[in-house]
């Protein structure tokens, strides 16, 4: 059942990002990157190779449909490497290995911290790879910060509805 849920989440996030969210550019700066939510919600007992390959695969498909030349795949792979360790650090000590990263299992504060760290790492790396220089660092910083805040807001809104 969990595998079916993960596959459906993969497909839905891919379609929503490619068909809808890629066309939203708030103030010509911020673009919501909701597919990062896929990496955030893996269970702690999920094998690391599954987390890495599925995150890389989603990033690669986003790159193919968005024409971003490996930026999403590389950034998704990085946060997929960090997520299990950060989740292990934030999970309650008495929780089992099958705990999922969610507001219901971690508490809203810890889940918000997990999201904030991973989304900001993702956005800053993604837009650094896009700019590939720090010539116009103000625009790079604004795009990364704006997209991270918009993405974080969307993820926390979805999670607050999902956890009820």
């Amino acid at each position: 059942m969990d595998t079916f849920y993960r596959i459906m989440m993969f497909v839905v996030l891919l379609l929503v990002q490619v068909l809808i969210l890629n066309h939203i550019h708030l103030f010509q700066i911020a673009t919501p990157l909701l597919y990062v939510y896929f990496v955030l919600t893996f269970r702690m007992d999920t094998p690391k190779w599954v987390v890495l390959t599925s995150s890389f695969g989603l990033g690669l498909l986003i790159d193919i449909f968005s024409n971003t030349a490996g930026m999403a795949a590389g950034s998704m792979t990085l946060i997929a490497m960090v997520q299990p360790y950060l989740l292990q650090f934030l999970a309650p000590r008495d929780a089992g290995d099958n705990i999922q990263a969610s507001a219901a299992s971690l508490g809203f504060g810890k889940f918000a911290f997990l999201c904030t760290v991973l989304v900001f790492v993702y956005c800053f790396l993604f837009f650094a790879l896009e700019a590939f220089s720090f010539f116009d660092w103000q625009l790079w910083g604004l795009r990364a910060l704006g997209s991270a805040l918009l993405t974080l807001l969307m993820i926390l809104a979805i999670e607050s509805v999902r956890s009820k």
Side-chain angles (χ1 to χ4, degrees):
M1 187 65 178
D2 190 47
T3 305
F4 178 73
Y5 173 74
R6 297 301 301 176
I7 291 170
M8 289 304 299
M9 186 178 193
F10 184 98
V11 171
V12 167
L13 287 172
L14 175 67
L15 291 175
V16 166
Q17 185 66 42
V18 170
L19 298 176
I20 299 168
L21 298 178
N22 278 352
H23 303 289
I24 296 173
H25 305 292
L26 193 62
F27 305 115
Q28 299 299 318
I29 292 177
T31 302
L33 305 169
L34 189 60
Y35 57 92
V36 175
Y37 187 59
F38 181 74
V39 177
L40 296 172
T41 57
F42 274 105
R43 292 187 177 280
M44 196 161 36
D45 63 346
T46 305
K48 287 180 181 59
W49 70 269
V50 172
V51 176
L52 287 170
T53 55
S54 59
S55 299
F56 174 79
L58 179 58
L60 185 63
L61 287 172
I62 294 290
D63 284 331
I64 289 169
F65 291 113
S66 302
N67 197 22
T68 51
M71 296 182 307
S75 302
M76 288 284 281
T77 304
L78 176 70
I79 66 168
M81 289 184 343
V82 174
Q83 189 266 359
Y85 299 108
L86 194 55
L87 180 59
Q88 186 176 17
F89 175 72
L90 293 172
R93 299 289 176 226
D94 58 343
D97 283 343
N98 65 348
I99 190 170
Q100 183 178 10
S102 68
S105 62
L106 294 177
F108 193 78
K110 286 184 179 182
F111 182 74
F113 179 76
L114 174 75
C115 289
T116 302
V117 169
L118 292 179
V119 166
F120 274 87
V121 166
Y122 179 84
C123 287
F124 279 101
L125 179 62
F126 182 85
F127 288 106
L129 290 173
E130 181 186 52
F132 209 66
S133 75
F134 295 108
F135 180 72
D136 194 6
W137 63 271
Q138 294 96 351
L139 181 62
W140 168 78
L142 277 175
R143 292 187 71 200
L145 183 64
S147 294
L149 289 174
L150 189 58
T151 302
L152 187 61
L153 182 69
M154 290 180 77
I155 288 172
L156 293 178
I158 290 170
E159 191 61 30
S160 69
V161 170
R162 188 176 144 220
S163 66
K164 291 186 180 194

